[in-house]
């Protein structure tokens, strides 16, 4: 059985200045990087890289997917694509982007090529935003042996023409054919100038010269209001986020300034993705702000912003608070345990049968689920699907804070295995109506793992 295990990384959150009222970083169960948002059918997905725990370089093995419908609770869809899914790749699962066309989902990634020894661009395809994805070509989409080939970004214009941009420190672009898995014509290079990107082309820069900016990597290409935007990590390292705009998809570009200036993000790289969702605009980026986070242990964060009336960007700063919920969560359906606004201590695992579930639950760990709408119905019971090879433990359901009133206490028994699932239910101790943040506080024997949690519901 396929098993990909994510080691929990949270120690004392408070010691790192994180609290359960903060929304950033948005994922706490593992390190996540290089966010690429995509909206499909009322759901916002983010495609991310994954920094390994304890890494001393970008030794990244897989890409991950998360989704939200309320901007507060994020569902972990695990890793539907990894280096081993590309026979020709062997290292560096770096910054991805997924786009939809005609019901197919095209997942563009950079990775190290065994064929040429450089970085190459690959494309995988799937029938759903969460995969499974398969290498669409069995070979790279673009591979010329250069280390420049990283960070692909793809946009399909109103006339149906798709474009791909990528590159560090040079910017390359090409048209994609309607099949999305082949390049139409030649790959071009954007020759950088001070007017277009803040500095001359890498080969033409004068040592120690002070430029307005320097394109570095991580382009994010899209169109809004008839204008084309190229956002990118800039300034060498440490990186900030800057952007250029154009009236055409292939330039000429005009340097527009910084969006997220250099600041204490705890990470010397930054990498952005932008999308509108439910009539709001969101700027995704990464920081090193989880416990044990840093330059090789990054985490995705998000800020809401409003475009200026002329379509330019305001300055966006990194916050711990993040964004406000834009919808509520229905507790009367099956809610995946890996849907959460915040967690402490827990991790996630996935297998072919159960999908993703919450693991590494120890005494004192907890999960927060935000903006849960109980309406005027008064639920009578709380139930959960759990598995434990040991003696299980207890889920205390608390309202509004980790110290809030306990409205249910569900005992989880030993089930004979970490994937031997059993549903149990417990009556509610108090009347619950209205909208609340709820906390699942896990209790049991100090030391060992208590149980795994697949889903929960109120009835
Ligand atoms: O995550 C690995 C690399 O770091 C990305 O490809 C770059 O954009 C930078 O974020």
């Amino acid at each position: 059985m396929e098993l990909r295990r994510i080691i929990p990384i949270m120690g004392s959150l408070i010691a790192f200045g994180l609290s359960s009222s903060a929304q950033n970083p948005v994922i706490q169960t593992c390190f996540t990087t290089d966010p690429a948002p995509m909206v499909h059918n009322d759901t916002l997905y983010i495609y991310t890289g994954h920094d390994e725990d304890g890494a001393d370089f970008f030794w990244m093995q897989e890409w991950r997917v998360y989704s939200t419908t309320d901007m507060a609770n994020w569902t972990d869809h695990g890793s539907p694509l990894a280096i081993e899914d590309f026979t020709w790749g062997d290292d560096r699962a770096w910054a991805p982007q997924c786009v939809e066309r005609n019901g197919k989902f095209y997942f563009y990634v950079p990775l190290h090529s065994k064929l040429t020894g450089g970085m190459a661009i690959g494309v995988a395809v799937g029938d759903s935003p969460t995969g499974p994805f398969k290498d669409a070509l069995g070979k790279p989409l673009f591979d010329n042996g250069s280390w420049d080939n990283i960070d692909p970004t793809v946009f399909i214009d109103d006339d149906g023409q798709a474009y791909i941009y990528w590159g560090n420190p040079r910017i390359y672009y090409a048209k994609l054919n309607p099949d999305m898995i082949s390049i139409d014509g030649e790959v071009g290079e954007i020759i950088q100038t001070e007017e277009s990107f803040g500095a001359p082309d890498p080969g033409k820069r004068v040592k120690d010269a002070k430029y307005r900016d320097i394109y570095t990597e991580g382009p994010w290409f899209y169109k809004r209001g008839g204008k084309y935007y190229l956002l990118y990590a800039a300034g060498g390292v440490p990186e900030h986020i800057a952007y250029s705009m154009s009236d055409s998809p292939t330039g000429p570009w005009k340097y527009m300034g910084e969006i997220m200036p250099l600041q204490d993000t705890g990470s010397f790289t930054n990498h952005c993705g932008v999308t509108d969702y439910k009539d709001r605009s969101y700027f995704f980026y990464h920081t090193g702000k989880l416990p044990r986070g840093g330059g090789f242990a990054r985490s995705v964060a998000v800020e809401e912003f409003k475009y200026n009336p002329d379509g330019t960007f305001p300055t966006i700063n990194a916050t711990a608070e993040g964004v406000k919920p834009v919808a509520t969560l229905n507790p009367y359906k099956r809610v995946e345990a890996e849907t959460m606004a915040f967690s402490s201590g827990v991790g996630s695992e996935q297998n072919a049968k159960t999908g993703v579930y919450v693991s590494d639950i120890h005494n004192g760990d907890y999960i927060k689920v935000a903006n849960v709408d109980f309406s005027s119905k008064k639920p009578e019971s709380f139930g959960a699907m759990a598995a434990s090879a040991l003696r299980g433990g207890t889920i205390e359901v608390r309202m509004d804070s980790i110290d809030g009133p306990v409205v249910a206490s569900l005992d989880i028994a030993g089930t004979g295995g970490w994937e031997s699932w059993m549903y149990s239910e417990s009556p509610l101790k108090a009347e619950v109506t209205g909208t609340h943040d709820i906390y699942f506080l896990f209790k049991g024997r100090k030391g060992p793992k208590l149980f795994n949690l697949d889903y929960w519901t109120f009835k």
Side-chain angles (χ1 to χ4, degrees):
M1 184 178 287
E2 181 200 17
L3 186 71
R4 289 181 183 154
R5 186 166 181 279
I6 302 301
I7 308 289
I9 49 177
M10 305 300 280
S12 165
L13 294 165
I14 306 302
F16 287 87
L18 285 183
S19 81
S20 62
S21 61
Q23 294 289 309
N24 281 331
V26 297
I27 309 298
Q28 302 87 33
T29 44
C30 71
F31 295 119
T32 53
T33 72
D34 305 316
M38 181 191 76
V39 175
H40 180 69
N41 283 352
D42 215 32
T43 299
L44 193 162
Y45 296 86
I46 40 170
Y47 297 80
T48 76
H50 172 200
D51 278 345
E52 295 291 326
D53 221 13
D56 59 357
F57 183 64
F58 306 117
W59 303 122
M60 300 158 70
Q61 303 293 303
E62 62 177 22
W63 296 274
R64 298 187 66 83
V65 185
Y66 300 85
S67 73
T68 187
T69 53
D70 56 25
M71 292 309 291
N73 300 296
W74 290 88
T75 301
D76 182 346
H77 297 282
S79 170
L81 192 67
I83 290 175
E84 56 271 23
D85 296 319
F86 296 93
T87 53
W88 49 270
D90 59 3
D91 196 2
R92 298 175 197 215
W94 286 3
Q97 187 179 355
C98 185
V99 297
E100 186 264 347
R101 180 164 208 165
N102 297 332
K104 295 267 184 211
F105 296 84
Y106 297 91
F107 202 143
Y108 298 87
V109 298
L111 73 164
H112 185 257
S113 167
K114 283 189 226 178
L115 309 176
T116 60
M119 289 296 285
I121 308 293
V123 55
V125 63
D127 292 326
S128 104
T130 54
F133 293 95
K134 273 180 69 176
D135 182 0
L137 294 167
K139 61 180 185 181
L141 173 65
F142 187 76
D143 182 7
N144 62 358
S146 164
W147 285 88
D148 289 2
N149 300 322
I150 68 169
D151 300 355
T153 175
V154 170
F155 169 71
I156 305 169
D157 209 344
D158 305 332
D159 62 1
Q161 179 62 60
Y163 298 87
I164 180 168
Y165 274 79
W166 72 90
N168 168 347
R170 293 180 174 78
I171 310 168
Y172 303 96
Y173 69 98
K175 286 183 178 173
L176 290 172
N177 286 311
D179 64 10
M180 300 296 278
I181 59 171
S182 58
I183 286 175
D184 174 9
E186 296 296 311
V187 169
E189 184 185 339
I190 304 275
I191 301 304
Q192 299 170 45
T193 61
E194 294 202 56
E195 293 70 37
S196 58
F197 291 93
D201 222 40
K204 295 193 181 137
R205 289 178 201 152
V206 176
K207 198 167 174 284
D208 297 328
K210 185 133 181 54
Y211 295 115
R212 276 203 287 168
D213 219 329
I214 295 177
Y215 168 90
T216 306
E217 60 183 357
W220 182 258
F221 177 50
Y222 68 102
K223 183 185 192 180
R224 181 183 179 273
K227 298 280 183 197
Y228 296 85
Y229 293 74
L230 200 60
L231 278 57
Y232 42 88
V237 286
E239 293 175 341
H240 58 267
I241 302 291
Y243 74 122
S244 302
M245 287 175 72
S246 174
D247 293 325
S248 114
T250 52
W253 292 96
K254 181 171 181 231
Y255 176 73
M256 300 300 294
E258 296 186 357
I259 297 175
M260 179 169 276
L262 210 52
Q263 55 199 283
D264 173 28
T265 61
S267 161
F268 60 86
T269 64
N270 201 343
H271 189 111
C272 73
V274 167
T275 193
D276 283 359
Y277 181 60
K278 297 193 174 170
D279 299 325
R280 291 159 196 264
S281 299
Y282 294 102
F283 178 87
F284 288 84
Y285 60 105
H286 67 217
T287 72
K289 291 291 185 184
L290 267 193
R292 302 210 310 274
F296 302 121
R298 299 160 293 173
S299 292
V300 170
V302 61
E303 309 295 340
E304 189 185 336
F305 72 97
K306 282 195 170 54
Y307 288 93
N308 295 321
D310 62 357
T312 57
F313 267 85
T315 299
I316 302 173
N317 289 310
T319 71
E321 292 73 30
V323 304
K324 298 254 178 310
V326 294
T328 53
L329 185 139
N330 173 5
Y332 301 115
K333 61 177 184 134
R334 165 181 163 149
V335 182
E336 297 303 317
E338 64 275 13
T339 297
M340 55 183 86
F342 194 80
S343 67
S344 175
V346 305
S348 70
E349 295 181 32
Q350 74 183 100
N351 64 42
K353 199 163 154 222
T354 313
V356 179
Y357 56 89
V358 172
S359 61
D360 292 291
I361 296 173
H362 293 80
N363 179 56
D365 292 348
Y366 69 89
I367 289 173
K368 171 190 173 185
V369 185
N371 227 27
V372 179
D373 184 7
F374 289 93
S375 68
S376 54
K377 283 185 212 167
K378 294 171 187 152
E380 290 175 355
S381 66
F382 169 74
M385 183 70 95
S388 176
L390 297 175
R391 285 182 293 144
T394 302
I395 306 176
E396 276 186 6
V397 183
R398 291 173 173 262
M399 289 288 125
D400 298 316
S401 84
I402 192 66
D403 308 315
V406 180
V407 297
S409 189
L410 175 64
D411 288 332
I412 305 293
T415 60
W418 295 113
E419 291 179 24
S420 300
W421 300 98
M422 196 170 85
Y423 182 79
S424 9
E425 226 172 69
S426 166
L428 250 58
K429 296 170 190 281
E431 196 175 279
V432 182
T433 56
T435 300
H436 298 268
D437 293 342
I438 57 176
Y439 289 73
F440 301 129
L441 177 59
F442 304 113
K443 294 207 160 159
R445 189 161 193 269
K446 289 195 180 87
K449 288 202 303 185
L450 302 178
F451 49 86
N452 291 329
L453 193 59
D454 187 17
Y455 64 86
W456 57 267
T457 191
F458 285 82
K459 288 183 188 160

